[in-house]
Amino acid sequence: MNMLLSNKAIQGAFERIEHLDMSCLESSSYDDGFEDSKYVDCPAG
Amino acid sequence: MGFQIKIVGDFCNIRCEYCRNRDFNRTEKAVMSIETLEKLCAFLNSLPQKKARVNWHGGEPLLAGKKFFNHIVRIEKEYPDKVWLNVVQTNATLIDDGWAKFFVDNGFHIGVSIDGTERVHNIDRVSAAGHGTYKRAMRGVDILRQHEIDPGVICTITKKTVKYAEEIFLGLVSSGFKDIAFNAFYNTASESDGDEYGLSYKDWSMFLKEIFELWIENNDETIRVRELDAILAWVKGKSTNGCSFRGSCDKWFAINNTGDIYPCERFGKKIHFGNIDSFGVYKNLITDQSFLDWRNSIHVLPKKCTTCTFLSLCNNGCSSHRQADDQGILLYTYCESRLEFYDFVQSRIKKGGERL
């Protein structure tokens, strides 16, 4: 078995990625995915 | 769609070194008027989607004061059909029990700016007197946690701090942060190129590789690093929601304390669309010629992108972090960093876990 894929950090990331809502990327007037996210993604440096 | 509301303009209570060369006026005290705030909320209420994500930003947004934030909540309630998602990005130095209670009571999400350990953070994030601000910031974080708020952290990486990847990552993790984002500092708001803080693509690529290895070694599924999730999403043939991957710069706006509307703050004030007063509603902004011209300009693709396998997952990166290619078309500065890092992650996964 690929040991890296059994790494918990990788598994956690793949789990998050699995639940990304890609449909939000295709519409021009969407409720985009990160609006429901608990993450604060802010572009400012 | 995101709005970065600079309620105090650039006004800030600390003097981070990397902000020094930007076209920020950190010392000019400014707070959005209640009249402008009311117009802003009416403007946001005109968004086509049900949810309005509002990022209360600065400068340091808490300098606007608790009264101002109470006005935010009061005015948002005048639009009960809109779902308001409030986010505050703060340096955390002003947080007290009153602020934490307000955030809990009103469901605000909090992001803090901490650049790693005390030693690394204090290299750039200093007070007006030149003293490090780490202890004050972490005191604010502790208060948030006492109120069961688990803030995300944005850590800015500069040419000065990029060599401390291990110290930064382990410092953030040992300080209890679970949701970590790294911003590569690239001085787009200033006309001066090649300043002493801006990261090269090599620096950034090396940093990401180090962080990846440290994250793997840490082996904890609860630690999310935004940049690693983004590249691992490519491995799965997906793109994350991060704006610099989605080509969605035209859905992110900065609005300053006077109601003036700009693209993302990373552009500085070079591009100005107008004012919420003149636009009134969102539709008038996105149909305005100044916006349309700018939107068209950021979607012009360099030749390199047109043949790139990852175009749909990368979209030429952050549009403020671009430099002209040999044909004068703007290419993402960290294009090679992304490609290198993707190759590195792919190879690591194919290798089955052995370090390269």
Side-chain angles (χ1 to χ4, degrees), chain B residues 68-226:
Chain B
F68 184 89
F69 274 76
N70 279 311
H71 281 299
I72 291 173
V73 174
R74 175 184 62 77
I75 297 168
E76 287 179 348
K77 282 179 180 164
E78 292 173 12
Y79 303 96
D81 292 337
K82 189 65 78 184
V83 176
W84 297 93
L85 219 137
N86 291 296
V87 174
V88 171
Q89 182 64 32
T90 172
N91 63 37
T93 60
L94 300 173
I95 290 170
D96 58 15
D97 282 317
W99 275 115
K101 188 173 183 315
F102 171 86
F103 296 144
V104 171
D105 289 348
N106 296 290
F108 278 49
H109 295 240
I110 309 299
V112 296
S113 303
I114 304 280
D115 288 355
T117 57
E118 179 167 9
R119 183 170 77 110
V120 181
H121 177 99
N122 286 348
I123 291 173
D124 287 319
R125 299 190 68 84
V126 294
S127 67
H131 304 305
T133 59
Y134 181 84
K135 281 196 169 73
R136 283 165 62 195
M138 285 307 295
R139 187 185 58 203
V141 170
D142 289 342
I143 292 169
L144 290 174
R145 289 177 176 152
Q146 284 160 21
H147 289 261
E148 298 185 350
I149 296 172
D150 186 19
V153 62
I154 290 180
C155 175
T156 298
I157 305 300
T158 71
K159 200 181 283 183
K160 285 183 181 178
T161 60
V162 71
K163 60 189 171 192
Y164 300 115
E166 181 171 3
E167 182 175 337
I168 289 169
F169 180 77
L170 297 179
L172 291 173
V173 170
S174 67
S175 302
F177 290 107
K178 302 278 189 193
D179 174 25
I180 302 168
F182 293 109
N183 276 347
F185 186 85
Y186 180 72
N187 201 0
T188 50
S190 161
E191 293 300 325
S192 62
D193 289 325
D195 68 89
E196 62 185 306
Y197 299 97
L199 282 184
S200 69
Y201 87 83
K202 280 278 180 203
D203 287 340
W204 186 228
S205 180
M206 282 303 299
F207 179 83
L208 291 174
K209 288 175 190 173
E210 278 190 74
I211 294 293
F212 180 78
E213 295 295 2
L214 292 159
W215 179 72
I216 291 293
E217 281 169 26
N218 193 55
N219 197 20
D220 181 345
E221 72 274 24
T222 66
I223 305 291
R224 178 226 185 207
V225 178
R226 182 182 64 182

